[in-house]
Amino acid sequence: MSPHRPPATDPVVSAGPQVPVELTLTGPPGLDSAAGRRPASRRPPRHLADLPLAQRRAAVTELGEPPFRASQLSRHYFGRYTDRAEDMTDLPQTSRDALAEALLPRLLTAERELACDDGTTRKTLWRTFDGALVESVLMRYPDRVTMCVSSQAGCGMACPFCATGQAGLTRNLSTAEIVGQVVAGARVLATGRVPGGPGRISNVVFMGMGEPLANYASVLAAIRRLTDPVPEGMGISQRSITVSTVGLVPAITRLAAEGLSVRLAVSLHAPDDELRDTLVPVNRRWRVAEVLAAARDYTAATGRRFSVEYALIKDINDQAWRADLLGSLLADDLAHVNLIPLNPTPGSKWTASRPADQREFVRRLEAYGVPVTVRDTRGREIDGACGQLAASAAP
Ligand code: SAH
């Protein structure tokens, strides 16, 4: 993609919910596209979103600027969602050019943008500075706007029903690469390019590519950046952030001790170890009982209910007895089950459950007093639904 492409208006038009729409990219505004640079190191360049405000002040001082410039820059980035020096008219011209270049490098370049659901679901394929591809999805609902973000390029957890899991792990994303996905979504929303008028991101779910708890330090810092108030961060409520994990028990325990009130979701997908060993291979290390015990401890420490994610796969994990087993495991918990009709990945031998089996699964869980919801399949037509994020750049 040419960094010199002239800005185009973004036609969020959709021919209906079933037809994905390729959106015209507005081109990376401001700094040159990062895609052309090929540093030897695979560490993304330093960005202010990698640093807490105190360290941003130190970095600004090192550049010979007064420390308060760190807050000014941060307000532009976290409050007005811009990294373009020319937007920062409260800074002297020479300072803003130098500061933006040093602290606001463009880390993600939009490679493709697709919309469906009449433009209220938008998936972006991003290219990182070293050529890795990651995806994020913005979903606007009547009462909220959720950004689904990636925490890794690829994923090492190898769940056989998940498109990302099939591709393996490329690398961890940096804090700023994670936060940048949300800032980009916030920018698009604020400008009114998403039908429904200008809006704000209310929720963030770590349910894009990657296992967030396998990239613990960057994800934790990203949660702080997302939730600390402007100018330290973006000011999204901790309660509106969901970290979804395959069940890395020591990391769940660690997260519980951070003093946060983010929501935890555990991807169970089977109530019995025998099947879960296949569906979520990391189960061979941490069993169902250990994962649930860690989730309960998380709830005890944070006061937040945990959610259990369960992709319903026809004739694999959707039997009535498994619903009963899951219900009995969770009957005494402050837990909520989120059933996800399987989004079949290309070449998958598995498919979503029959509607009658799904209904029976719900009914049985409810009989144990377990709250259940069935997740909508937003973004399906643009391969933006759960487990479909595979970062293919092919048109
Ligand atoms: N690594 C994290 C985030 C994964 S994506 C985790 O495992 O929780 C968020 C959810 O989508 C997970 O529960 C994941 O198991 C589920 N998922 C993955 N592929 C899917 C598919 N093809 N259909 C339905 N859900 C899927």
Side-chain angles (χ1 to χ4, degrees), residues 161-162 207-208 210-211 244-246 267 269 309 311 340 342-343 386-387:
F161 56 89
C162 173
M207 295 184 185
E211 167 51 40
S244 177
T245 177
V246 280
S267 297
H269 304 313
E309 290 165 281
I340 317 171
L342 184 82
N343 292 306
C386 296

Side-chain angles (χ1 to χ4, degrees), residues 247-264:
L248 304 185
V249 165
I252 295 174
T253 306
R254 198 173 156 196
L255 188 67
E258 300 284 357
L260 297 167
S261 54
V262 299
R263 182 189 275 273
L264 178 75

Side-chain angles (χ1 to χ4, degrees), residues 19 28 30 38 43 81 89 108 146 184 189 249 278 320:
V19 184
R38 292 247 173 265
R43 266 188 90 81
Y81 320 123
T89 49
L108 300 173
T146 301
L189 257 184
V249 165
T278 305

Side-chain angles (χ1 to χ4, degrees), residues 63-93:
L63 294 164
E65 294 285 338
F68 67 84
R69 297 256 183 263
S71 299
Q72 288 180 306
L73 275 186
S74 302
R75 279 180 204 285
H76 283 296
Y77 189 65
F78 290 123
R80 297 182 200 98
Y81 320 123
T82 184
D83 55 8
R84 308 193 317 174
E86 63 261 40
D87 292 338
M88 304 179 187
T89 49
D90 54 335
L91 281 84
Q93 174 93 51

Side-chain angles (χ1 to χ4, degrees), residues 148-149 151-152 155 157 159-165 205-213 243-247 265-269 276 279-280 308-313 338-345 348 375 380 385-389:
C148 177
V149 297
S151 55
Q152 301 180 308
C155 184
M157 298 299 131
C159 302
F161 56 89
C162 173
T164 311
V205 296
F206 284 84
M207 295 184 185
M209 300 170 76
E211 167 51 40
L213 295 186
V243 174
S244 177
T245 177
V246 280
V266 291
S267 297
L268 209 61
H269 304 313
R276 195 167 189 269
L279 295 182
V280 185
V308 167
E309 290 165 281
Y310 199 105
L312 278 176
I313 313 174
N338 201 208
L339 297 173
I340 317 171
L342 184 82
N343 292 306
T345 57
S348 168
R375 185 173 298 168
R380 231 181 163 150
C386 296
Q388 292 182 331
L389 302 185

